[in-house]
Amino acid sequence: MATLAVRRAPLGGFSFENCKRNSILESEASKVGFSVPTARKTGTTICGVVFKDGIVLGADTRATEGMVVADKNCSKIHYISPNIYCCGAGTAADTEMTTQIISSNLELHALSTGRQPRVATANRMLKQMLFRYQGYIGAALVLGGVDCNGPHLYSIYPHGSTDKLPYVTMGSGSLAAMAVFEDRYKTGMEEEEAKQLVRDAIAAGIFNDLGSGSNIDLCVITKGNVDYIRPHDEANKKGVRTGDYRYKRGTTAVLSKVVNPLDLELLEETVQTMDTS
Amino acid sequence: IVPVAGLCPQGSYGIQDSLRSGFTSVKNELLPSHPLELSEKNFVLNQDKMNFSTLRNIQGLHAPLKLQMEYRAARQIQRLPFLQSSNLALDTLRGSDDTIGFEDILSDPAQSETMGEPHMMVEYKLGLL
């Protein structure tokens, strides 16, 4: 009888029911010396640059979970619309979900207006959503694309502020990448020059920041064409083993040999490919 | 951590309604468990308020008045109290029928694991409780 209750109409969205319990658990756990699991961050270097005909976006491919590499080859350049792509740094789940939600909203908006979506629209949707959650959604984004008004590049911070600039970097390796940009950026670069500049900036982040590593992904967006190059450059190849500890056949002398063939018949053969994307 | 008034007991006369919302805990009522809890609870309301006041300033008092009358009508189109309604008319009026947010993806009320007790909820709705 005590459990009879009339429920108020439930709302969708975030539920804060467990927040108090979680904070109590965290304080209890730290007393015992055990730490709560951390969210997977992308601890990244992402950057973007405007060149003569469009945008080049670049990202590294390492995802970290505290001090451990969680994913050696994750894809940080997310699709927003056919002419707009977005790199994400910060909490991996947050960037993933935010970009997917904005991508869906932009698609609905484009269907409703009947026009190709603009980068400024995506920017405004992102900043309004991030500001609504007051920075608790840890997504730092580099948004770039080419629309009817030309190429545009924005950087969006987790609390909702945005900057419209010709070259931007975000993530833990942003200072290293920005140093390269500040040195070598020129207005009106050619595509190859811009790709080389972005590659060098990301490489600076990869080699000088612990949170970034593995390969360099590039995305070149021009009017009517997108080149998603993954990977553009494998800066960190896993080493090849030069020696082998296995003993060669014949190291131990064979005294006698008996062969017993087993009578088996092949019933079914299936091939299941591993998802190496 | 600032004590807030928005989490006061929701029963009549401001007393905790143990039948409907369980046992009391002073801390639960005074302190929000997350800084975003209050702002999220009132987000739709605040957004509507903002839109109505903008409309009033641009188009005059008639615009929000007519719209609010339509909202009131649309809000009454519901299923039985314990069933989840799609709120299609309300969504169309608000313009949220062609947007997706976290409220559509996370803890979708149409797929919640618990359901209100049908008899109790109908009696509550009719005022018999």
Side-chain angles (χ1 to χ4, degrees):
Chain A
M1 242 343 240
T3 51
L4 273 179
V6 171
R7 264 167 77 246
R8 222 156 285 128
L11 298 164
F14 291 108
S15 152
F16 300 102
E17 285 167 355
N18 289 334
C19 286
K20 286 213 172 81
R21 176 205 76 166
N22 287 348
S23 57
I24 293 178
L25 274 179
E26 229 175 292
S27 57
E28 294 289 316
S30 63
K31 266 188 237 154
V32 183
F34 170 77
S35 64
V36 244
T38 51
R40 180 191 295 195
K41 308 193 90 198
T42 52
T44 309
T45 311
I46 48 174
C47 65
V49 99
V50 177
F51 71 99
K52 197 171 72 158
D53 306 317
I55 305 271
V56 179
L57 295 173
D60 72 306
T61 58
R62 175 184 288 183
T64 53
E65 212 161 5
M67 284 287 117
V68 177
V69 173
D71 191 344
K72 289 191 280 272
N73 198 1
C74 73
S75 138
K76 297 185 191 178
I77 308 187
H78 308 285
Y79 165 88
I80 302 260
S81 86
N83 58 327
I84 304 175
Y85 277 73
C86 181
C87 311
T91 312
D94 288 347
T95 59
E96 187 73 40
M97 294 261 74
T98 311
T99 46
Q100 281 178 347
I101 287 182
I102 296 303
S103 165
S104 309
N105 273 331
L106 254 195
E107 175 74 18
L108 288 168
H109 190 256
L111 287 169
S112 161
T113 56
R115 300 182 173 132
Q116 200 194 37
R118 301 191 191 184
V119 192
T121 319
N123 178 49
R124 193 143 287 242
M125 286 180 175
L126 278 165
K127 79 177 347 183
Q128 283 178 349
M129 165 180 280
L130 289 175
F131 183 72
R132 171 178 169 179
Y133 293 106
Q134 292 290 294
Y136 280 95
I137 294 196
L141 308 163
V142 165
L143 175 75
V146 179
D147 57 26
C148 53
N149 288 338
H152 303 278
L153 185 64
Y154 293 89
S155 71
I156 305 166
Y157 291 82
H159 281 264
S161 61
T162 62
D163 289 307
K164 184 175 194 307
L165 294 165
Y167 55 94
V168 289
T169 64
M170 296 288 257
S172 54
S174 61
L175 290 172
M178 187 51 95
V180 175
F181 274 164
E182 288 287 3
D183 188 28
R184 285 161 43 186
Y185 173 79
K186 299 190 298 289
T187 47
M189 284 185 290
E190 294 298 330
E191 178 172 334
E192 280 313 312
E193 208 183 330
K195 275 161 74 171
Q196 185 62 30
L197 179 61
V198 172
R199 185 240 160 247
D200 288 339
I202 301 285
I206 286 178
F207 290 118
N208 295 297
D209 175 45
L210 286 179
S212 321
S214 299
N215 315 327
I216 300 172
D217 288 347
L218 278 192
C219 184
V220 185
I221 311 175
T222 49
K223 195 168 181 68
N225 183 41
V226 172
D227 244 339
Y228 193 105
I229 313 168
R230 174 178 156 83
H232 174 250
D233 193 349
E234 282 188 28
N236 293 15
K237 259 207 191 64
K238 218 169 158 185
V240 180
R241 289 213 182 108
T242 46
D244 194 12
Y245 278 107
R246 260 187 244 146
Y247 289 106
K248 284 188 275 296
R249 262 179 200 276
T251 316
T252 318
V254 177
L255 293 178
S256 66
K257 193 158 107 171
V258 174
V259 177
N260 282 335
L262 291 168
D263 244 334
L264 301 169
E265 53 176 280
L266 183 66
L267 283 177
E268 192 194 324
E269 191 177 315
T270 52
V271 175
Q272 195 175 36
T273 46
M274 206 164 61
D275 183 18
T276 48
S277 57
Chain B
I1 311 171
V2 183
V4 209
L7 299 160
C8 268
Q10 312 258 334
S12 48
Y13 309 111
I15 318 175
Q16 179 71 352
D17 217 344
S18 304
L19 177 66
R20 296 202 182 96
S21 20
F23 293 116
T24 49
S25 153
V26 178
K27 205 156 136 204
N28 265 338
E29 283 154 39
L30 283 181
L31 302 172
S33 46
H34 195 273
L36 284 181
E37 187 175 350
L38 266 186
S39 83
E40 280 299 298
K41 202 157 71 135
N42 299 328
F43 184 74
V44 179
L45 273 152
N46 286 338
Q47 206 181 31
D48 284 346
K49 263 191 232 174
M50 196 172 73
N51 289 339
F52 283 141
S53 82
T54 325
L55 256 189
R56 195 224 157 120
N57 290 333
I58 298 177
Q59 295 186 16
L61 188 55
H62 76 101
L65 274 183
K66 283 188 185 155
L67 268 181
Q68 273 181 321
M69 201 174 72
E70 290 182 29
Y71 273 54
R72 206 168 268 232
R75 211 172 293 141
Q76 288 178 346
I77 308 169
Q78 298 276 321
R79 294 168 163 264
L80 290 170
F82 51 91
L83 292 174
Q84 192 58 30
S85 157
S86 69
N87 290 324
L88 186 60
L90 202 52
D91 272 350
T92 313
L93 274 177
R94 273 211 189 100
S96 58
D97 60 339
D98 58 359
T99 45
I100 292 184
F102 285 113
E103 55 273 358
D104 301 305
I105 300 173
L106 299 173
S107 56
D108 189 6
Q111 301 185 0
S112 73
E113 299 123 4
T114 55
M115 191 177 85
E117 227 264 294
H119 300 287
M120 305 251 344
M121 299 196 76
V122 176
E123 285 178 20
Y124 178 60
K125 177 87 186 294
L126 294 176
L128 297 174
L129 247 189

